[in-house]
Coordinates of all heavy atoms in Angstrom, one line a residue:
M1 N 5.5 -4.9 22.5 CA 6.1 -4.6 21.2 C 5.0 -4.8 20.1 O 4.3 -5.8 20.0 CB 7.3 -5.5 21.0 CG 8.0 -5.3 19.6 SD 9.4 -6.4 19.6 CE 10.2 -5.6 18.2
K2 N 4.9 -3.8 19.2 CA 3.9 -3.8 18.2 C 4.4 -4.8 17.1 O 5.5 -4.8 16.7 CB 3.8 -2.4 17.6 CG 2.7 -2.3 16.5 CD 2.7 -0.8 16.0 CE 1.6 -0.7 14.9 NZ 1.5 0.6 14.4
K3 N 3.4 -5.6 16.6 CA 3.8 -6.5 15.6 C 3.9 -5.8 14.2 O 3.3 -4.8 14.0 CB 2.7 -7.7 15.5 CG 1.4 -7.3 14.9 CD 0.5 -8.5 14.9 CE -0.9 -8.1 14.3 NZ -1.8 -9.2 14.1
H4 N 4.8 -6.3 13.4 CA 5.0 -5.7 12.1 C 3.9 -6.0 11.2 O 3.2 -7.1 11.3 CB 6.3 -6.3 11.5 CG 6.9 -5.6 10.3 ND1 6.5 -5.9 9.0 CD2 7.7 -4.5 10.3 CE1 7.1 -5.0 8.2 NE2 7.8 -4.2 9.0
W5 N 3.6 -5.1 10.3 CA 2.4 -5.2 9.4 C 2.4 -6.5 8.6 O 1.4 -7.0 8.2 CB 2.3 -3.9 8.5 CG 3.4 -3.7 7.5 CD1 4.5 -2.9 7.7 CD2 3.5 -4.3 6.2 NE1 5.3 -2.9 6.6 CE2 4.7 -3.8 5.7 CE3 2.8 -5.2 5.5 CZ2 5.1 -4.2 4.4 CZ3 3.2 -5.6 4.2 CH2 4.4 -5.1 3.7
T6 N 3.6 -7.0 8.2 CA 3.7 -8.1 7.4 C 3.0 -9.4 8.0 O 2.5 -10.2 7.3 CB 5.1 -8.5 7.0 OG1 5.9 -8.7 8.3 CG2 5.7 -7.4 6.2
S7 N 2.8 -9.4 9.3 CA 2.2 -10.6 9.9 C 0.7 -10.6 9.7 O 0.0 -11.6 9.9 CB 2.5 -10.6 11.4 OG 1.9 -9.5 12.1
S8 N 0.1 -9.4 9.2 CA -1.3 -9.4 8.9 C -1.6 -9.3 7.4 O -2.7 -9.3 6.9 CB -1.9 -8.1 9.5 OG -1.8 -8.2 10.9
A9 N -0.5 -9.4 6.6 CA -0.7 -9.3 5.1 C -1.4 -10.5 4.5 O -1.1 -11.7 5.0 CB 0.7 -9.1 4.5
R10 N -2.3 -10.3 3.6 CA -3.0 -11.4 2.9 C -2.0 -12.3 2.2 O -2.2 -13.5 2.0 CB -4.0 -10.9 1.9 CG -5.2 -10.3 2.6 CD -6.3 -10.0 1.6 NE -6.9 -11.3 1.1 CZ -7.5 -11.5 0.0 NH1 -7.6 -10.5 -0.8 NH2 -8.0 -12.6 -0.4
C11 N -0.9 -11.7 1.7 CA 0.1 -12.5 0.9 C 1.1 -13.3 1.8 O 2.0 -13.9 1.2 CB 0.8 -11.6 0.0 SG 1.8 -10.3 0.8
R12 N 1.0 -13.2 3.1 CA 2.1 -13.8 3.9 C 2.2 -15.3 3.7 O 3.3 -15.8 4.0 CB 1.8 -13.5 5.4 CG 0.6 -14.2 6.0 CD 0.3 -13.8 7.4 NE -0.9 -14.4 7.9 CZ -2.1 -14.0 7.7 NH1 -2.3 -13.0 6.9 NH2 -3.2 -14.6 8.1
T13 N 1.2 -16.0 3.2 CA 1.4 -17.4 3.0 C 1.6 -17.7 1.5 O 1.7 -18.8 1.1 CB 0.1 -18.1 3.4 OG1 -1.0 -17.6 2.7 CG2 -0.1 -18.0 4.9
T14 N 1.8 -16.6 0.7 CA 2.0 -16.8 -0.8 C 3.5 -16.8 -1.0 O 4.3 -16.2 -0.3 CB 1.4 -15.5 -1.5 OG1 0.0 -15.4 -1.2 CG2 1.6 -15.6 -3.0
S15 N 3.9 -17.5 -2.0 CA 5.3 -17.6 -2.4 C 5.7 -16.2 -3.0 O 4.9 -15.6 -3.7 CB 5.4 -18.6 -3.5 OG 6.7 -18.5 -4.1
A16 N 6.9 -15.8 -2.6 CA 7.4 -14.5 -3.1 C 7.4 -14.4 -4.6 O 7.2 -13.4 -5.2 CB 8.8 -14.2 -2.6
E17 N 7.6 -15.6 -5.3 CA 7.6 -15.6 -6.7 C 6.3 -15.1 -7.3 O 6.2 -14.6 -8.4 CB 8.0 -17.0 -7.3 CG 9.4 -17.4 -7.1 CD 9.6 -18.2 -5.8 OE1 8.7 -19.0 -5.4 OE2 10.6 -18.1 -5.2
D18 N 5.2 -15.3 -6.6 CA 3.9 -14.9 -7.1 C 3.7 -13.3 -7.1 O 2.8 -12.8 -7.7 CB 2.8 -15.5 -6.2 CG 2.7 -17.0 -6.4 OD1 3.1 -17.5 -7.4 OD2 2.2 -17.6 -5.4
L19 N 4.6 -12.7 -6.3 CA 4.5 -11.2 -6.2 C 5.5 -10.5 -7.1 O 5.4 -9.3 -7.3 CB 4.6 -10.8 -4.8 CG 3.5 -11.3 -3.8 CD1 3.9 -11.0 -2.4 CD2 2.2 -10.8 -4.2
F20 N 6.5 -11.2 -7.5 CA 7.6 -10.6 -8.3 C 7.5 -11.2 -9.7 O 8.4 -12.0 -10.2 CB 8.9 -10.9 -7.7 CG 9.1 -10.1 -6.4 CD1 8.6 -10.6 -5.2 CD2 9.7 -8.8 -6.4 CE1 8.8 -9.9 -4.0 CE2 9.8 -8.1 -5.2 CZ 9.3 -8.6 -4.0
V21 N 6.4 -10.9 -10.4 CA 6.1 -11.4 -11.8 C 6.1 -10.2 -12.8 O 6.1 -9.1 -12.4 CB 4.8 -12.1 -11.8 CG1 4.9 -13.4 -10.9 CG2 3.7 -11.3 -11.2
E22 N 6.1 -10.6 -14.0 CA 6.0 -9.6 -15.1 C 4.8 -9.7 -15.9 O 4.1 -10.8 -15.9 CB 7.3 -9.7 -16.0 CG 8.6 -9.5 -15.3 CD 8.8 -8.1 -14.8 OE1 8.3 -7.1 -15.5 OE2 9.4 -7.9 -13.8
G23 N 4.4 -8.7 -16.7 CA 3.3 -8.8 -17.7 C 2.0 -9.0 -17.0 O 1.7 -8.6 -15.9
A24 N 1.2 -9.8 -17.7 CA -0.2 -10.1 -17.3 C -0.3 -10.7 -15.9 O -1.3 -10.6 -15.2 CB -0.9 -10.9 -18.3
A25 N 0.7 -11.5 -15.5 CA 0.7 -12.1 -14.2 C 0.6 -11.1 -13.1 O 0.2 -11.5 -12.0 CB 1.9 -13.0 -14.1
Q26 N 1.0 -9.9 -13.3 CA 0.9 -8.8 -12.3 C -0.5 -8.6 -11.9 O -0.7 -8.2 -10.7 CB 1.6 -7.5 -12.8 CG 3.0 -7.7 -13.0 CD 3.7 -6.4 -13.5 OE1 3.0 -5.6 -14.2 NE2 4.9 -6.2 -13.1
N27 N -1.5 -8.8 -12.8 CA -2.9 -8.6 -12.4 C -3.3 -9.6 -11.3 O -4.0 -9.2 -10.4 CB -3.8 -8.7 -13.6 CG -3.6 -7.5 -14.5 OD1 -3.3 -6.4 -14.1 ND2 -3.8 -7.7 -15.8
Q28 N -2.8 -10.8 -11.4 CA -3.1 -11.8 -10.4 C -2.5 -11.4 -9.1 O -3.0 -11.5 -8.0 CB -2.7 -13.2 -10.8 CG -3.5 -13.8 -11.9 CD -3.0 -15.1 -12.3 OE1 -1.8 -15.3 -12.4 NE2 -3.9 -16.1 -12.5
A29 N -1.2 -10.9 -9.1 CA -0.5 -10.5 -7.9 C -1.2 -9.3 -7.3 O -1.4 -9.2 -6.1 CB 0.9 -10.1 -8.3
K30 N -1.7 -8.3 -8.1 CA -2.4 -7.2 -7.6 C -3.7 -7.6 -6.9 O -4.1 -7.0 -5.9 CB -2.7 -6.2 -8.7 CG -1.4 -5.4 -9.1 CD -1.6 -4.7 -10.4 CE -2.6 -3.6 -10.4 NZ -2.5 -2.7 -11.6
A31 N -4.4 -8.7 -7.5 CA -5.6 -9.1 -6.9 C -5.5 -9.7 -5.5 O -6.4 -9.6 -4.7 CB -6.2 -10.2 -7.8
L32 N -4.3 -10.2 -5.2 CA -4.0 -10.7 -3.8 C -4.1 -9.5 -2.8 O -4.4 -9.7 -1.6 CB -2.6 -11.2 -3.7 CG -2.3 -12.6 -4.4 CD1 -0.8 -12.9 -4.4 CD2 -3.1 -13.7 -3.6
C33 N -3.9 -8.3 -3.3 CA -3.9 -7.1 -2.4 C -5.3 -6.6 -2.1 O -5.5 -5.9 -1.1 CB -3.1 -6.0 -3.0 SG -1.4 -6.4 -3.4
T34 N -6.2 -7.0 -2.9 CA -7.6 -6.6 -2.7 C -8.1 -7.0 -1.4 O -8.1 -8.2 -1.0 CB -8.5 -7.1 -3.8 OG1 -8.0 -6.7 -5.1 CG2 -9.9 -6.6 -3.7
G35 N -8.6 -6.1 -0.6 CA -9.1 -6.4 0.7 C -8.1 -6.7 1.8 O -8.4 -7.0 2.9
C36 N -6.8 -6.5 1.5 CA -5.7 -6.7 2.5 C -5.8 -5.6 3.6 O -5.8 -4.4 3.2 CB -4.4 -6.7 1.8 SG -3.0 -7.1 3.0
P37 N -5.8 -6.0 4.9 CA -5.9 -5.0 5.9 C -4.7 -4.1 6.1 O -4.8 -3.1 6.7 CB -6.1 -5.9 7.2 CG -5.5 -7.2 6.8 CD -5.7 -7.4 5.4
V38 N -3.6 -4.5 5.5 CA -2.4 -3.7 5.6 C -1.8 -3.2 4.3 O -0.6 -3.0 4.1 CB -1.3 -4.5 6.4 CG1 -1.7 -4.7 7.9 CG2 -0.9 -5.8 5.7
R39 N -2.7 -3.1 3.3 CA -2.4 -2.7 2.0 C -1.6 -1.3 2.0 O -0.6 -1.2 1.3 CB -3.6 -2.6 1.1 CG -3.3 -2.3 -0.3 CD -4.6 -2.3 -1.1 NE -4.3 -2.0 -2.5 CZ -5.2 -2.2 -3.5 NH1 -6.4 -2.7 -3.2 NH2 -4.9 -1.9 -4.7
G40 N -2.1 -0.4 2.8 CA -1.5 0.9 2.9 C -0.1 0.9 3.4 O 0.8 1.6 2.9
E41 N 0.1 0.1 4.5 CA 1.4 0.0 5.1 C 2.4 -0.6 4.1 O 3.6 -0.2 4.0 CB 1.3 -0.8 6.4 CG 0.6 -0.1 7.5 CD -0.9 -0.4 7.5 OE1 -1.5 -0.8 6.5 OE2 -1.5 -0.2 8.6
C42 N 2.0 -1.6 3.4 CA 2.8 -2.3 2.4 C 3.2 -1.3 1.3 O 4.4 -1.2 0.9 CB 2.0 -3.5 1.8 SG 2.8 -4.4 0.5
L43 N 2.2 -0.6 0.7 CA 2.5 0.4 -0.3 C 3.4 1.5 0.2 O 4.4 1.9 -0.5 CB 1.2 1.0 -0.8 CG 1.3 2.0 -1.9 CD1 2.1 1.5 -3.1 CD2 0.0 2.6 -2.3
A44 N 3.2 2.0 1.4 CA 4.0 3.0 2.0 C 5.5 2.6 2.1 O 6.4 3.3 1.7 CB 3.5 3.4 3.3
Q45 N 5.7 1.3 2.5 CA 7.1 0.8 2.6 C 7.7 0.8 1.2 O 8.9 1.2 1.1 CB 7.1 -0.5 3.2 CG 8.6 -1.0 3.4 CD 8.7 -2.4 4.2 OE1 7.8 -2.7 4.9 NE2 9.8 -3.0 4.0
A46 N 7.0 0.3 0.2 CA 7.6 0.2 -1.1 C 7.9 1.6 -1.7 O 8.9 1.8 -2.3 CB 6.6 -0.5 -2.0
L47 N 7.0 2.6 -1.4 CA 7.3 3.9 -1.9 C 8.4 4.6 -1.1 O 9.3 5.3 -1.7 CB 6.0 4.8 -1.8 CG 4.9 4.3 -2.8 CD1 3.6 5.0 -2.3 CD2 5.2 4.7 -4.2
D48 N 8.4 4.5 0.2 CA 9.4 5.2 1.0 C 10.8 4.6 0.8 O 11.8 5.3 0.8 CB 9.1 5.1 2.5 CG 8.0 6.0 2.9 OD1 7.8 7.1 2.2 OD2 7.3 5.8 4.0
E49 N 10.9 3.3 0.5 CA 12.1 2.6 0.3 C 12.5 2.6 -1.2 O 13.5 2.0 -1.5 CB 12.1 1.2 1.0 CG 12.0 1.3 2.5 CD 12.0 0.0 3.1 OE1 12.4 -1.0 2.5 OE2 11.7 -0.1 4.3
R50 N 11.6 3.1 -2.0 CA 11.9 3.1 -3.5 C 12.2 1.7 -4.0 O 13.1 1.4 -4.8 CB 13.0 4.0 -3.9 CG 12.8 5.5 -3.4 CD 11.6 6.1 -4.0 NE 11.6 7.6 -3.9 CZ 11.0 8.3 -2.9 NH1 10.3 7.6 -2.0 NH2 11.0 9.6 -3.0
I51 N 11.3 0.7 -3.6 CA 11.5 -0.7 -4.0 C 11.1 -0.7 -5.5 O 10.0 -0.3 -5.9 CB 10.6 -1.6 -3.1 CG1 11.1 -1.6 -1.7 CG2 10.7 -3.0 -3.7 CD1 10.3 -2.4 -0.7
E52 N 12.0 -1.3 -6.3 CA 11.9 -1.2 -7.7 C 11.2 -2.4 -8.4 O 11.0 -2.5 -9.6 CB 13.2 -0.9 -8.3 CG 13.8 0.4 -7.9 CD 15.1 0.7 -8.6 OE1 15.5 0.0 -9.5 OE2 15.7 1.7 -8.2
H53 N 11.0 -3.5 -7.6 CA 10.4 -4.7 -8.2 C 9.3 -5.2 -7.4 O 9.2 -5.0 -6.2 CB 11.6 -5.8 -8.3 CG 12.7 -5.3 -9.0 ND1 12.8 -5.2 -10.4 CD2 14.0 -4.9 -8.6 CE1 13.9 -4.8 -10.8 NE2 14.7 -4.6 -9.7
G54 N 8.4 -5.9 -8.1 CA 7.3 -6.6 -7.4 C 6.1 -5.8 -7.2 O 6.0 -4.6 -7.5
V55 N 5.0 -6.5 -6.8 CA 3.7 -5.8 -6.5 C 3.7 -5.6 -5.0 O 3.9 -6.6 -4.2 CB 2.6 -6.7 -7.0 CG1 1.2 -6.1 -6.5 CG2 2.5 -6.8 -8.5
W56 N 3.5 -4.4 -4.6 CA 3.4 -4.0 -3.2 C 2.2 -3.1 -3.0 O 2.0 -2.2 -3.8 CB 4.6 -3.2 -2.8 CG 5.9 -4.0 -2.8 CD1 6.7 -4.4 -3.9 CD2 6.6 -4.4 -1.6 NE1 7.8 -5.1 -3.4 CE2 7.8 -5.1 -2.1 CE3 6.4 -4.3 -0.3 CZ2 8.7 -5.7 -1.2 CZ3 7.3 -4.9 0.6 CH2 8.4 -5.5 0.1
G57 N 1.3 -3.4 -2.1 CA 0.2 -2.6 -1.8 C -0.8 -2.5 -3.0 O -1.4 -1.4 -3.2
G58 N -0.8 -3.4 -3.9 CA -1.7 -3.4 -5.1 C -1.1 -2.6 -6.2 O -1.8 -2.3 -7.2
M59 N 0.1 -2.2 -6.2 CA 0.7 -1.4 -7.3 C 2.0 -2.1 -7.8 O 2.8 -2.6 -7.0 CB 1.1 0.0 -6.8 CG -0.1 0.9 -6.4 SD 0.4 2.5 -6.0 CE 0.4 3.3 -7.6
T60 N 2.1 -2.1 -9.1 CA 3.3 -2.6 -9.7 C 4.5 -1.6 -9.6 O 4.2 -0.4 -9.2 CB 3.1 -2.9 -11.2 OG1 2.8 -1.6 -11.9 CG2 1.9 -3.8 -11.5
A61 N 5.6 -2.0 -10.0 CA 6.8 -1.1 -9.9 C 6.5 0.1 -10.9 O 6.8 1.3 -10.5 CB 8.1 -1.8 -10.4
R62 N 5.9 -0.1 -12.0 CA 5.6 0.9 -13.0 C 4.6 1.9 -12.3 O 4.7 3.1 -12.4 CB 5.0 0.4 -14.2 CG 4.6 1.4 -15.2 CD 4.0 0.8 -16.4 NE 5.1 0.6 -17.4 CZ 4.9 0.0 -18.5 NH1 3.7 -0.5 -18.9 NH2 6.0 -0.2 -19.3
D63 N 3.6 1.4 -11.7 CA 2.6 2.2 -11.0 C 3.2 3.1 -10.0 O 2.9 4.3 -9.8 CB 1.5 1.4 -10.3 CG 0.7 0.5 -11.2 OD1 0.5 0.8 -12.4 OD2 0.2 -0.6 -10.7
R64 N 4.1 2.5 -9.2 CA 4.8 3.2 -8.1 C 5.7 4.3 -8.7 O 5.8 5.4 -8.1 CB 5.6 2.3 -7.2 CG 4.6 1.4 -6.4 CD 5.4 0.6 -5.3 NE 6.6 -0.1 -5.7 CZ 6.5 -1.3 -6.2 NH1 5.4 -2.0 -6.4 NH2 7.7 -1.9 -6.6
R65 N 6.4 4.0 -9.7 CA 7.3 5.0 -10.4 C 6.5 6.2 -10.8 O 6.9 7.4 -10.6 CB 8.1 4.4 -11.5 CG 9.3 3.7 -11.1 CD 10.2 3.4 -12.3 NE 9.5 2.6 -13.4 CZ 9.4 1.3 -13.4 NH1 10.0 0.6 -12.4 NH2 8.8 0.7 -14.4
A66 N 5.3 5.9 -11.4 CA 4.5 7.0 -11.9 C 3.9 7.9 -10.7 O 3.9 9.1 -10.8 CB 3.3 6.4 -12.7
L67 N 3.6 7.2 -9.7 CA 3.1 7.9 -8.5 C 4.2 8.8 -7.9 O 4.0 10.0 -7.5 CB 2.5 7.0 -7.4 CG 2.0 7.6 -6.2 CD1 0.8 8.6 -6.5 CD2 1.5 6.4 -5.3
L68 N 5.4 8.2 -7.8 CA 6.5 9.0 -7.2 C 6.8 10.2 -8.1 O 7.1 11.3 -7.6 CB 7.7 8.1 -7.1 CG 7.7 7.1 -6.0 CD1 8.8 6.0 -6.1 CD2 7.7 7.7 -4.6
K69 N 6.7 10.0 -9.4 CA 7.0 11.1 -10.3 C 5.9 12.2 -10.2 O 6.2 13.4 -10.3 CB 7.0 10.6 -11.8 CG 7.5 11.6 -12.8 CD 7.6 10.9 -14.1 CE 8.2 11.9 -15.2 NZ 8.4 11.3 -16.5
R70 N 4.6 11.8 -10.0 CA 3.6 12.8 -9.9 C 3.7 13.6 -8.5 O 3.2 14.7 -8.4 CB 2.2 12.1 -9.9 CG 1.8 11.8 -11.3 CD 0.3 11.4 -11.4 NE -0.2 10.4 -10.5 CZ -0.2 9.1 -10.6 NH1 0.3 8.6 -11.7 NH2 -0.6 8.3 -9.7
R71 N 4.2 12.9 -7.5 CA 4.2 13.5 -6.1 C 5.6 13.6 -5.6 O 6.0 12.9 -4.6 CB 3.3 12.7 -5.2 CG 1.9 12.5 -5.6 CD 1.0 13.8 -5.4 NE 1.1 14.3 -4.0 CZ 0.2 14.0 -3.0 NH1 -0.7 13.1 -3.3 NH2 0.3 14.5 -1.9
P72 N 6.6 14.3 -6.3 CA 8.0 14.3 -5.9 C 8.2 14.9 -4.5 O 9.3 14.7 -3.9 CB 8.6 15.0 -7.0 CG 7.6 16.0 -7.5 CD 6.3 15.2 -7.4
T73 N 7.3 15.7 -4.0 CA 7.6 16.4 -2.7 C 7.2 15.6 -1.5 O 7.5 16.0 -0.4 CB 6.9 17.8 -2.7 OG1 5.4 17.5 -2.8 CG2 7.3 18.6 -3.8
V74 N 6.6 14.4 -1.6 CA 6.2 13.6 -0.5 C 7.4 13.1 0.2 O 8.2 12.4 -0.5 CB 5.2 12.5 -0.9 CG1 4.9 11.6 0.3 CG2 3.9 13.1 -1.5
R75 N 7.6 13.4 1.5 CA 8.8 12.9 2.2 C 8.5 11.6 2.9 O 9.4 10.8 3.0 CB 9.2 13.9 3.2 CG 9.8 15.2 2.6 CD 10.2 16.1 3.7 NE 10.7 17.4 3.1 CZ 11.9 17.8 3.2 NH1 12.8 17.0 3.8 NH2 12.3 18.9 2.7
S76 N 7.3 11.4 3.3 CA 7.0 10.1 4.0 C 5.6 9.6 3.5 O 4.6 10.2 3.9 CB 6.9 10.3 5.5 OG 6.4 9.1 6.1
W77 N 5.6 8.6 2.7 CA 4.4 8.0 2.2 C 3.7 7.3 3.4 O 2.4 7.3 3.4 CB 4.7 7.0 1.1 CG 5.0 7.8 -0.1 CD1 6.2 8.1 -0.6 CD2 4.1 8.3 -1.1 NE1 6.1 8.8 -1.8 CE2 4.8 9.0 -2.1 CE3 2.7 8.3 -1.2 CZ2 4.2 9.6 -3.2 CZ3 2.1 8.9 -2.2 CH2 2.8 9.6 -3.2
A78 N 4.4 6.8 4.4 CA 3.8 6.1 5.5 C 2.9 7.2 6.2 O 1.8 6.9 6.6 CB 4.8 5.6 6.4
R79 N 3.4 8.3 6.5 CA 2.7 9.4 7.2 C 1.5 9.8 6.4 O 0.4 10.0 6.9 CB 3.5 10.6 7.6 CG 4.2 10.4 8.9 CD 4.7 11.8 9.4 NE 5.7 12.4 8.6 CZ 7.0 12.2 8.7 NH1 7.5 11.4 9.6 NH2 7.9 12.7 7.9
L80 N 1.7 10.1 5.1 CA 0.7 10.5 4.2 C -0.5 9.5 4.1 O -1.7 9.9 4.2 CB 1.2 10.8 2.8 CG 0.2 11.2 1.8 CD1 -0.3 12.7 2.1 CD2 0.8 11.2 0.4
L81 N -0.2 8.2 3.9 CA -1.2 7.2 3.8 C -1.9 7.0 5.1 O -3.1 6.7 5.2 CB -0.6 5.9 3.2 CG -0.2 6.1 1.8 CD1 0.5 4.8 1.3 CD2 -1.3 6.4 0.8
E82 N -1.2 7.1 6.2 CA -1.8 6.9 7.5 C -2.8 8.1 7.8 O -3.9 7.9 8.3 CB -0.8 6.8 8.6 CG -1.4 6.6 10.0 CD -2.2 5.4 10.2 OE1 -1.9 4.4 9.6 OE2 -3.3 5.5 10.9
A83 N -2.4 9.3 7.5 CA -3.3 10.4 7.6 C -4.5 10.3 6.7 O -5.7 10.6 7.2 CB -2.6 11.7 7.3
A84 N -4.4 9.8 5.5 CA -5.5 9.6 4.6 C -6.5 8.6 5.2 O -7.7 8.7 5.1 CB -5.0 9.2 3.2
K85 N -5.9 7.5 5.8 CA -6.7 6.4 6.3 C -7.5 7.0 7.5 O -8.7 6.6 7.6 CB -5.7 5.3 6.8 CG -6.4 4.1 7.3 CD -5.3 3.0 7.6 CE -5.9 1.8 8.2 NZ -4.8 0.8 8.5
R86 N -6.9 7.7 8.4 CA -7.6 8.3 9.5 C -8.7 9.3 9.1 O -9.8 9.2 9.6 CB -6.6 9.1 10.4 CG -5.9 8.3 11.4 CD -5.2 9.1 12.5 NE -4.4 10.2 12.0 CZ -3.2 10.1 11.6 NH1 -2.5 9.0 11.7 NH2 -2.5 11.2 11.1
E87 N -8.4 10.1 8.0 CA -9.4 11.0 7.5 C -10.6 10.3 7.0 O -11.7 10.6 7.2 CB -8.7 11.9 6.5 CG -9.6 13.0 5.9 CD -8.8 13.9 5.0 OE1 -7.7 14.4 5.3 OE2 -9.3 14.0 3.8
H88 N -10.3 9.2 6.2 CA -11.4 8.4 5.6 C -12.2 7.7 6.8 O -13.5 7.7 6.7 CB -10.8 7.3 4.7 CG -11.8 6.4 4.1 ND1 -12.7 6.8 3.2 CD2 -12.1 5.1 4.5 CE1 -13.5 5.7 2.9 NE2 -13.1 4.7 3.6
H89 N -11.6 7.2 7.7 CA -12.2 6.6 8.9 C -13.1 7.6 9.6 O -14.3 7.3 9.9 CB -11.2 6.0 9.8 CG -11.8 5.3 11.0 ND1 -12.0 6.0 12.2 CD2 -12.2 4.1 11.2 CE1 -12.5 5.1 13.1 NE2 -12.7 4.0 12.5
D90 N -12.6 8.8 9.9 CA -13.3 9.8 10.6 C -14.5 10.3 9.7 O -15.6 10.5 10.3 CB -12.4 11.0 10.9 CG -11.4 10.7 11.9 OD1 -11.4 9.7 12.5 OD2 -10.4 11.5 12.1
A91 N -14.3 10.4 8.4 CA -15.4 10.9 7.6 C -16.6 9.8 7.6 O -17.7 10.1 7.6 CB -14.9 11.1 6.2
A92 N -16.2 8.5 7.5 CA -17.2 7.5 7.5 C -18.0 7.5 8.8 O -19.2 7.3 8.8 CB -16.5 6.1 7.4
H93 N -17.3 7.7 10.0 CA -18.0 7.7 11.2 C -18.9 8.9 11.3 O -20.0 8.9 11.9 CB -17.1 7.6 12.4 CG -16.5 6.3 12.6 ND1 -17.3 5.2 12.8 CD2 -15.3 5.8 12.7 CE1 -16.6 4.1 13.0 NE2 -15.3 4.4 12.9
T94 N -18.5 10.1 10.8 CA -19.3 11.3 10.8 C -20.6 11.0 10.0 O -21.7 11.4 10.4 CB -18.5 12.5 10.3 OG1 -17.4 12.7 11.1 CG2 -19.4 13.7 10.2
S95 N -20.4 10.4 8.8 CA -21.5 10.1 7.9 C -22.5 9.1 8.6 O -23.7 9.3 8.5 CB -21.0 9.5 6.6 OG -22.0 9.1 5.8
E96 N -22.0 8.1 9.3 CA -22.8 7.2 10.1 C -23.7 7.9 11.1 O -24.9 7.7 11.3 CB -22.0 6.1 10.7 CG -21.5 5.0 9.8 CD -20.6 4.0 10.5 OE1 -20.6 4.1 11.8 OE2 -20.0 3.2 9.9
R97 N -23.0 8.8 11.9 CA -23.7 9.5 12.9 C -24.8 10.4 12.4 O -25.9 10.6 12.9 CB -22.7 10.3 13.8 CG -21.9 9.5 14.8 CD -21.2 10.3 15.8 NE -20.3 11.3 15.2 CZ -19.0 11.1 14.9 NH1 -18.5 9.9 15.2 NH2 -18.3 12.0 14.4
N98 N -24.5 11.1 11.2 CA -25.4 12.0 10.6 C -26.6 11.3 10.0 O -27.7 11.9 9.9 CB -24.7 12.9 9.6 CG -23.8 13.8 10.2 OD1 -23.8 14.2 11.3 ND2 -22.8 14.3 9.4
S99 N -26.4 10.0 9.6 CA -27.6 9.3 9.0 C -28.4 8.6 10.0 O -29.5 8.0 9.7 CB -27.1 8.4 7.9 OG -26.3 7.3 8.5
A100 N -27.9 8.5 11.3 CA -28.6 7.8 12.3 C -29.8 8.6 12.9 O -30.0 9.7 12.8 CB -27.7 7.4 13.4

């Protein structure tokens, strides 16, 4: 059985109150997401489920609303972000091979 992405999240040991903050405190919450190995999965869940509160995947609720408004035709953010991650990974490996 595949483990859920939350078990690898950088914030898994953080209090939930630290992620559901307002104002300037959101910058600290977003900083927790920097370098998180499952940032994309977290963001995809928040976008796909239209979660309206908290910082998810490095984005505030306001950030996510703006993104959803800009991209209203996206049906699955999980699929879109996974495809982008694969594309980025493939491009990085191609670049490594070409420079070797």
Side-chain angles (χ1 to χ4, degrees):
M1 180 176 192
K2 185 177 177 182
K3 69 179 181 176
H4 195 266
W5 64 262
T6 55
S7 64
S8 299
R10 286 190 73 205
C11 64
R12 72 185 173 280
T13 59
T14 303
S15 170
E17 289 94 32
D18 293 337
L19 300 171
F20 292 86
V21 292
E22 299 293 326
Q26 290 178 333
N27 290 328
Q28 288 178 320
K30 288 167 62 170
L32 287 170
C33 303
T34 303
C36 181
V38 292
R39 184 175 180 169
E41 292 88 339
C42 177
L43 178 58
Q45 181 172 340
L47 292 166
D48 283 339
E49 295 181 14
R50 304 300 195 262
I51 297 173
E52 297 183 10
H53 303 286
V55 172
W56 292 75
M59 293 184 85
T60 64
R62 175 182 274 174
D63 297 332
R64 293 191 307 275
R65 279 192 302 274
L67 182 55
L68 289 166
K69 190 174 182 177
R70 284 193 311 270
R71 303 285 305 269
T73 61
V74 174
R75 291 179 183 249
S76 171
W77 286 94
R79 270 198 299 270
L80 178 71
L81 293 175
E82 182 58 37
K85 185 177 177 180
R86 275 193 311 272
E87 187 176 304
H88 177 74
H89 180 266
D90 293 347
H93 284 306
T94 299
S95 178
E96 283 177 9
R97 284 194 302 268
N98 291 340
S99 65

